[in-house]
Every structure is written in structure tokens, then in C-alpha cells.
Amino acid sequence: MGLSIASQEGHQLWQLNAVTVPEGVDEAAVRKRLLTDFNMEVGAGLGPFKGKIWRIGLMGATSSKANVKAFLSALGQILNDSGRRTDTEVALAAAM
């Protein structure tokens, strides 16, 4: 999907991924659409990271393969709809 992890090496949590928002993407609009269209909530960046990262949590029951696949599909669809070319199939294959 062309996304990168924002957190420093050695300071990453498996259950919470800080992902850098791609250049030119309206991060708040993506989060809003994830919530309204797919019932998926993603956290915004805080402090100096406001508008620059998404905080994506996959914990407990939500960390199932089905939920990871659903999230990647939804995010890919939204990014593609916003004009950013995203190969969701490659992301899904990598996640599985």
C-alpha cells in the first residue's frame, strides 16, 4: 500500500501501529470514512503527530485475519477513491 511505520525502531507495539499518512491524503477524511462507511475507528496523531499519522490498533478479538483483511480492504478502497493508487491485493497477500 506504500505506507510506512512512523514509530522508531525499538519503540513499536504490535497491537498499535503508528502509520505515516501519505503526502496529499486528508487523514481526517480517511478516518471519518472508515468510521461512517465501515464502522472502523482509527486514532489520529497527537501533539506534533497531529495530521501526520494514523494510530491503528489491532488488539484481542479484532486482531483476527478476517478483521485485518477487512481493514486493509477498506483502507485501500478509500485511498483509491481519493485518487491515490493503492494495490490492495499486494497488501492483503503480504498480511496473510
Side-chain angles (χ1 to χ4, degrees):
M1 295 183 98
L3 304 175
S4 60
I5 298 295
S7 53
Q8 296 174 0
E9 188 73 34
H11 296 277
Q12 298 168 340
L13 302 171
W14 292 109
Q15 65 273 29
L16 182 65
N17 298 281
V19 177
T20 303
V21 176
E23 191 71 34
V25 172
D26 182 343
E27 71 84 22
V30 171
R31 287 186 299 105
K32 182 177 180 180
R33 187 155 170 223
L34 280 167
L35 185 59
T36 58
D37 293 3
F38 299 96
N39 197 32
M40 296 176 183
E41 188 170 11
V42 168
L46 303 172
F49 294 103
K50 182 176 182 181
K52 298 178 182 177
I53 67 167
W54 291 306
R55 294 177 300 127
I56 302 170
L58 292 165
M59 301 174 231
T62 64
S63 62
S64 69
K65 283 185 181 182
N67 285 336
V68 171
K69 185 176 180 178
F71 174 74
L72 291 173
S73 295
L75 181 60
Q77 179 182 332
I78 293 168
L79 291 173
N80 282 327
D81 289 350
S82 70
R84 184 174 191 282
R85 177 76 179 110
T86 302
D87 192 340
T88 306
E89 293 305 316
V90 170
L92 291 168
M96 296 302 127

